[in-house]
Amino acid sequence: SSGYIFTKEEDYYEDYRTSFFGVTWKKLGWTCPRHCEIIFSSCIPVFPDIEECPKDTLTFYPKELCKKILESDFIKNSKHYRYHPYHDLYGYDGFEFKMNNSQQYLDYLNQFKEHALKYLTTEKMLDYVLNFN
């Protein structure tokens, strides 16, 4: 089994678009489109291993904001755990999300969206590369 539950790309994005949270983590590497796909789908990323991300990796990604989510009441008492499906890969399971403060959720979501529009669009990345000194 490939582990993928979606056969159509539209269904994949619709799942994030209709979800409050999207769990993401380092798989084969730290940098992957999934992290941004979650944010640009108006979904809050839950990045359980963000503390392990090297300082100079995912430089423009909102790592500090991701750390706040892990400490928030939305998942603070979650019993999630890391499991190893393969010798060099791992995943996370067992998240328990609590939607107990809709205004706080919207505040966090807006912070992610503002950050993404300021730093993570293809235009912003291209501008950074072309103007790097």
Side-chain angles (χ1 to χ4, degrees):
S1 161
S2 70
Y4 293 104
I5 61 173
F6 300 104
T7 56
K8 294 189 290 187
E9 185 178 10
E10 308 87 64
D11 295 338
Y12 170 79
Y13 290 115
E14 179 68 9
D15 188 56
Y16 281 137
R17 192 187 67 71
T18 58
S19 298
F20 290 110
F21 301 96
V23 180
T24 191
W25 61 90
K26 175 191 172 202
K27 287 188 180 176
L28 294 175
W30 286 101
T31 305
C32 75
R34 180 183 64 258
H35 308 320
C36 289
E37 290 168 350
I38 292 170
I39 295 173
F40 282 110
S41 295
S42 292
C43 185
I44 289 182
V46 175
F47 211 138
D49 56 352
I50 196 69
E51 289 280 355
E52 299 170 23
C53 184
K55 176 181 170 268
D56 294 326
T57 303
L58 293 176
T59 308
F60 296 103
Y61 198 76
K63 293 191 282 189
E64 292 303 315
L65 192 51
C66 288
K67 292 173 187 176
K68 286 182 181 180
I69 293 300
L70 292 176
E71 297 167 0
S72 74
D73 289 337
F74 297 120
I75 65 165
K76 185 167 52 177
N77 296 318
S78 181
K79 304 285 190 262
H80 59 275
Y81 59 93
R82 183 185 287 197
Y83 67 92
H84 295 270
Y86 306 102
H87 71 283
D88 59 345
L89 288 174
Y90 57 86
Y92 285 88
D93 203 0
F95 281 91
E96 183 181 328
F97 298 101
K98 294 179 178 68
M99 193 52 148
N100 51 2
N101 187 331
S102 58
Q103 187 56 54
Q104 183 184 31
Y105 176 86
L106 291 174
D107 290 344
Y108 277 125
L109 181 59
N110 285 330
Q111 289 177 57
F112 275 104
K113 289 166 71 174
E114 287 173 12
H115 182 95
L117 291 173
K118 187 174 181 181
Y119 298 106
L120 301 175
T121 65
T122 54
E123 291 85 2
K124 295 296 182 178
M125 291 284 109
L126 182 60
D127 185 53
Y128 171 77
V129 170
L130 293 176
N131 294 304
F132 184 78
N133 292 326

